[in-house]
């Protein structure tokens, strides 16, 4: 089990899914936005998970012991780690400027 893995667990509303954001092997994991905490051990780490609904991440973070989780996918979604290069960003800006300039020209010619 590692950061970025998609996991599922049983919840009161049925099976829930989410992506691991943090794993703690010793100490106590405090859950942001709540008063709950989970004691971590090397044999059963505490895991912070972002809940996903309909394949989309939510703002909700939950904590579980690793022993209660099932790995759904250990593949990291490339879209989550993708960052365009500065050259790609500059090319996109140029294309938008050209597109806007063409739009302005068309708009003026139809008046």
């Amino acid at each position: 089990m590692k950061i970025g893995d998609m996991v599922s667990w049983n919840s009161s509303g049925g099976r829930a899914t989410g992506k691991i954001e943090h794993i703690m092997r010793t100490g106590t994991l405090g859950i942001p936005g709540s008063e709950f905490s989970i004691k971590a051990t090397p044999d059963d780490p505490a895991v912070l998970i972002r809940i996903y609904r309909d394949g989309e991440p939510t703002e909700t973070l939950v904590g579980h012991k690793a022993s209660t989780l099932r790995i759904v996918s250990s593949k990291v979604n490339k879209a989550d780690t993708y960052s365009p290069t500065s050259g790609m960003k500059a090319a996109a800006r140029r294309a938008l400027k050209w597109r806007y300039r063409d739009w302005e020209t068309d708009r003026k010619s139809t008046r």
Side-chain angles (χ1 to χ4, degrees):
M1 200 169 285
K2 63 187 178 305
I3 293 173
D5 283 353
M6 291 298 290
V7 294
S8 69
W9 62 95
N10 288 324
S11 72
S12 58
R15 200 92 187 140
T17 59
K19 185 182 282 189
I20 296 176
E21 293 203 349
H22 183 74
I23 299 173
M24 182 176 273
R25 299 188 191 290
T26 60
T28 303
L29 175 66
I31 310 305
S34 80
E35 295 180 15
F36 292 100
S37 61
I38 300 171
K39 186 175 182 211
T41 65
D43 293 333
D44 198 7
V47 182
L48 185 66
I49 305 159
R50 179 162 310 276
I51 292 180
Y52 273 56
R53 285 198 182 90
D54 300 321
E56 296 294 321
T58 68
E59 296 295 317
T60 307
L61 292 169
V62 297
H64 285 281
K65 295 286 248 171
S67 60
T68 66
L69 303 172
R70 186 176 79 199
I71 294 176
V72 176
S73 169
S74 61
K75 294 179 182 176
V76 175
N77 185 349
K78 288 184 181 180
D80 291 343
T81 60
Y82 176 75
S83 179
T85 65
S86 59
M88 292 171 77
K89 290 177 185 177
R93 281 192 297 275
R94 284 192 305 273
L96 288 171
K97 284 180 186 175
W98 293 333
R99 179 83 177 188
Y100 178 75
R101 188 176 52 213
D102 290 345
W103 176 80
E104 278 288 310
T105 303
D106 288 346
R107 190 174 67 104
K108 289 178 183 174
S109 67
T110 58
R111 285 186 180 174

